Amino acid sequence: MIILVLNSGSSSIKFQLFEMNDQGQQLLSKGIVERIGIKGGVLKQCIGGVSQVVLEKDIPDHTIGIKLVFENLTKGANAVLKNLSEINAVGHRVVHGGELFKESVLVDNAVKQQIKECSELAPLHNPANLKGIMSVEALLDSIPQVAVFDTSFHQTMPTKAYLYGIPYNYYEKYKIRRYGFHGISHKYVAEQAAEMCNKDFTNSKVVTCHLGNGASVTGIKNGASVDTSMGFTPVTGLMMGTRCGTLDPGILLYLEEKEHLSIKGINNLLNKESGLQGVSGLSSDMRDIEKAADDGLYRAKLAFDMYTYRIRKWIGSFVGVMNGIDLLVFTGGIGENSFKVREDVCKQLSFFGITIDEERNVGLCGQGGIISASNSSVAVAVVNTNEELVIAQEVFKIVNN
Ligand code: ADP
């Protein structure tokens, strides 16, 4: 079965084309369309492991963006298909499924309407995801499409974990609660790490740290998410590249009075001007922070220390929630590549029986593997996340049924 996976953002579309069967899958093509709706659109394709620009032209909307992806898959030097009819199904990453979607679904009119209803909860993401679905529909007519949600995995959180301590009627009226994100990644890396470390995923206590530009930690007990650090929106929990993470809401009231910030100003402050960027005043990129901290820049070192301290704090809280831990997993650009972050997070977790092997940890850069020391009672692993592959697997399962 040939499956196209699309991850549509507000101005970009990431794509991967897989050939899948019961035995496994082969990646046929991978790339990204960028700057949709902005001047200077570009289509890049991953060729020989390197991202290369294959087309530059203005791309006014998602439908035209997807059309270019289709042309690129079927025509010219990078073509991998003779005809678009070879594509059997399309999978979409959809950020917010609210309480409506506890698992991936085949898209029909009712599902489209429900994704639209969830847009209120994710105004930056869901409309773009929906545009991706509609564009494929317009171009490929009745092809089966599957929606895979970033929130679904966390729908197993118990009520006491997902409710906020505000009047209950706001949950009833507006569905204000914690949803959690990165669910596709948390589930995938936990399963992969359990297999790597010979643990039974359905009978283990796992903490997964997805550390990319956005970042979250999840506690997974017996295969189900029991709690996660992100909440109603992805701005809370860990300190991130440009997002603040958990914040005393009283600060917003205080700042509103002192700085007369508008809603837009507060939104920018929390999402774009905070985190590593805001504390260091230098960069949101962990590579820059590590380098500047090594060079002795106080605020870069502070940002690094605050970043790892908070990860440790969240891990500790989930060990408490689950009454133990068998497996700790790192993933995302930072989790997969920064041995310094992993080392700093783990070095004060020995109380839980977590000890990493320093050499193994430093040796793993960008590859997955086990980094726990042989005397560690908790296994610690690094897994390269692959959300697109999970989406393709979900499509294969649903469309085959
Ligand atoms: P996104 O959430 O946008 O998918 P990624 O998962 O790609 O983000 O992660 C981006 C982060 O990974 C950036 O902060 C970047 O600095 C960090 N990163 C990538 N490579 C390294 C590295 N070798 N060392 C430290 N951090 C790295």
Side-chain angles (χ1 to χ4, degrees), residues 210-214 284-287 290 332-334 337-338 365:
H210 177 107
L211 311 175
N213 281 316
S284 63
D285 191 304
M286 185 52 90
R287 286 165 289 203
E290 285 184 0
I334 297 173
N337 292 292
S338 173
C365 186

Side-chain angles (χ1 to χ4, degrees), residues 94-98 149-155 157 161-162 164 177-184 186 215-218 225 227-236:
V94 179
V95 166
H96 219 307
F149 301 88
D150 240 359
T151 48
S152 290
F153 181 54
H154 301 300
Q155 280 294 300
M157 279 196 281
Y162 71 67
Y164 287 108
R177 51 158 285 178
R178 301 177 56 252
Y179 291 96
F181 300 88
H182 294 140
I184 302 168
H186 284 295
S216 62
V217 179
T218 296
S225 168
D227 208 341
T228 189
S229 60
M230 282 180 168
F232 181 63
T233 71
V235 78
T236 196

Side-chain angles (χ1 to χ4, degrees), residues 1 6 21 35 65 68 81 101 112 132 150 157 180 189 212 215 223 291 303 309 323 344 352:
M1 182 185 288
L6 296 176
N21 58 35
R35 300 182 64 83
L68 289 176
L81 301 174
F101 296 104
K112 279 187 284 181
D150 240 359
M157 279 196 281
V189 300
K291 183 167 182 313
Y309 174 81
N323 193 19
D344 212 55
F352 294 142

Side-chain angles (χ1 to χ4, degrees), residues 94-103 114-115 117-119 121-122 126 129 147-152 155 179-181:
V94 179
V95 166
H96 219 307
E99 288 187 328
L100 297 171
F101 296 104
K102 300 193 189 317
E103 47 197 36
Q114 286 169 320
I115 294 174
E117 282 165 27
C118 294
S119 290
L121 299 169
N126 273 35
N129 305 151
V148 183
F149 301 88
D150 240 359
T151 48
S152 290
Q155 280 294 300
Y179 291 96
F181 300 88

